[in-house]
Structure formats: structure tokens, C-alpha cells
Amino acid sequence: MPRKLRKARVKEALEAVALTDRAGSKVQDFFSRGMKQRLHIARRLLNDPALLFLDEPTNGLDPELALDVRKFVKSLAQRGTGVLLTTHYLAEAQALTDNLLIINEGKNIFQGSLQELRAHSSLPEHATLEDACFAILGIDPDTKADA
């Protein structure tokens, strides 16, 4: 990547994850876990990827920064960047995804939209992703909590 383009891309990526004030800082000395998480996302953006893989992107972030990351992920998708998100945070997945792939014990057990998952699980329109996942897995959350 040409130097001029590289400098511009670094600036854009740091702006996207709200780290421009730390541009010259040493990561090992001055970055919290949340800042490191955001920096990892910024690094992935440098080459303007058509598809961005994010594994638990809000893990370890405080609620305000997690919200910023979720907004940023949505904006990437709206701009046409494909985003593959892996997460155990089902509310976050529900807020960010159009298409779900649910994997349990290494097997793909469902792929489609939340609406399709609700229909597949015979759940009402207001059911959450968590409700639908429990239904498709045959888990009763009320009895599971008592165990």
C-alpha cells in the first residue's frame, strides 16, 4: 500500500474506532483491553475489505464502547461491507444480523433470518433470538435455570 494511502487509511480506521487520540501510543503500555479490541478492528479495516470477520467484537468492552462498535458494524454493512460475526451474545446478534447460522456441538442446525427461525420454531413474532435458539435446541430456559 502506498505511503500516502496507508496514512489516510490508518487515520480513517482509527477514527472509525475512536482511537485517533492514541495514534502514537505504544499498545503494550497504554491500551486497555477495550482499546486493544477496537485496535484489532481498525487493523482489519486498513485494506478496505469486502468481507470483515469479527469474532466477539464487543467482548471486554464497556457498554458505551460496545454500543459504538455495534453502530460501526451496522454502518459497515450499510456501506456494503460483508460482516461475518461470531458471538455468544444473542441480543447483539439479533441487533446486527440479517442472516443467522446457528451451530451447536459443531453441527449447523439452522440457517436463515430471525423471522424464518421464529416460524421454524413455531414462536410468535416478538420472540427473541434467544427464545428461538432455546426452542430449536429443545431447551426450556425455566427448568435449565433451576438445574
Side-chain angles (χ1 to χ4, degrees), residues 53-65:
F53 293 86
L54 297 174
D55 183 20
E56 305 276 359
T58 60
N59 186 29
L61 300 184
D62 65 50
E64 184 179 359
L65 288 175

Side-chain angles (χ1 to χ4, degrees), residues 13-118:
L14 290 175
E15 285 173 355
V17 296
L19 285 176
T20 53
D21 60 327
R22 298 296 187 139
S25 299
K26 291 185 178 184
V27 174
Q28 67 272 18
D29 296 336
F30 301 106
F31 278 48
S32 67
R33 179 176 179 179
M35 293 167 87
K36 288 177 184 175
Q37 188 80 339
R38 290 185 288 150
L39 184 60
H40 288 301
I41 293 170
R43 289 175 56 202
R44 292 181 184 118
L45 297 174
L46 290 177
N47 291 320
D48 194 24
L51 179 62
L52 183 64
F53 293 86
L54 297 174
D55 183 20
E56 305 276 359
T58 60
N59 186 29
L61 300 184
D62 65 50
E64 184 179 359
L65 288 175
L67 178 61
D68 289 344
V69 169
R70 285 192 296 273
K71 286 179 181 178
F72 178 64
V73 169
K74 277 187 175 183
S75 75
L76 284 173
Q78 290 169 347
R79 289 191 323 220
T81 301
V83 178
L84 181 82
L85 172 75
T86 62
T87 187
H88 290 92
Y89 301 129
L90 297 182
E92 183 170 270
Q94 182 174 335
L96 292 175
T97 63
D98 295 323
N99 189 18
L100 304 161
L101 174 61
I102 299 173
I103 301 171
N104 186 46
E105 297 181 355
K107 295 180 184 168
N108 298 348
I109 59 171
F110 178 83
Q111 184 172 358
S113 69
L114 178 55
Q115 293 78 12
E116 292 168 332
L117 179 56
R118 287 176 180 139

